[in-house]
Amino acid sequence: MSVLNSNEQFISAQKRLYLVMSMLLVAVLTAGSCLATDHILGYVASNEIVISSVFNLIAAFAFITVWKKVALSSEKNLPILFLSASGIRIVVAAMTVLVYFFVMRSDTQSIKIFAVVFMAFYLMMLVFDTWFFIKTEKTKQIK
């Protein structure tokens, strides 16, 4: 019973850590994007940055919520979760980008800015997720 309790505590702690770290990363990316677009373009590309930030916060929250449930119920299915979550995230990201492109089709400058900002957020969160969950698995194996 204490091993299960210890595992539940570890998973809950990792969920909290992931949420805090992903929110901090999105905040840093948001601030950096504001500074970069202001410096390069002379104005802050707020719509593009807000959409990218909100997408990544929602994706992070959804993923870690599902991860916790799978980690508690059947750890052997975590590799399938990682694969399917990555697939779902890229499909939803592509749909988000396509909707933005369709809505803003007459503003090519805005589309280019959005594509770069969104891709930067997406790639940084992908790197973060990979690092975080490799670190989590190594920590769990040591315990």
Side-chain angles (χ1 to χ4, degrees):
M1 183 75 173
S2 67
V3 172
L4 181 61
N5 192 16
S6 173
N7 189 42
E8 288 175 359
Q9 289 175 348
F10 175 75
I11 290 169
S12 292
Q14 289 304 109
K15 179 182 178 184
R16 282 190 303 276
L17 181 62
Y18 177 87
L19 287 172
V20 168
M21 291 179 75
S22 60
M23 286 188 286
L24 285 173
L25 178 57
V26 169
V28 167
L29 290 169
T30 300
S33 297
C34 288
L35 291 171
T37 58
D38 185 41
H39 178 71
I40 294 168
L41 303 171
Y43 66 93
V44 174
S46 57
N47 290 338
E48 295 84 350
I49 295 168
V50 168
I51 293 168
S52 299
S53 299
V54 169
F55 172 85
N56 282 287
L57 287 173
I58 291 170
F61 180 77
F63 179 71
I64 198 63
T65 301
V66 174
W67 174 83
K68 181 180 179 186
K69 289 180 182 182
V70 172
L72 287 173
S73 64
S74 61
E75 284 187 44
K76 66 180 179 168
N77 289 327
L78 284 174
I80 295 168
L81 170 67
F82 293 132
L83 182 61
S84 56
S86 294
I88 291 168
R89 183 182 286 189
I90 199 164
V91 167
V92 175
M95 289 175 16
T96 303
V97 169
L98 288 173
V99 167
Y100 187 87
F101 287 4
F102 179 74
V103 170
M104 300 300 290
R105 65 183 169 269
S106 62
D107 187 357
T108 57
Q109 176 74 5
S110 179
I111 290 172
K112 290 175 188 175
I113 294 166
F114 178 72
V116 169
V117 170
F118 194 85
M119 186 173 33
F121 272 77
Y122 183 87
L123 292 174
M124 289 302 295
M125 289 302 290
L126 184 65
V127 168
F128 167 70
D129 283 351
T130 303
W131 169 81
F132 184 86
F133 288 105
I134 287 173
K135 182 178 158 277
T136 298
E137 288 302 312
K138 285 183 179 178
T139 304
K140 190 170 28 170
Q141 288 174 359
I142 291 171
K143 289 183 173 193

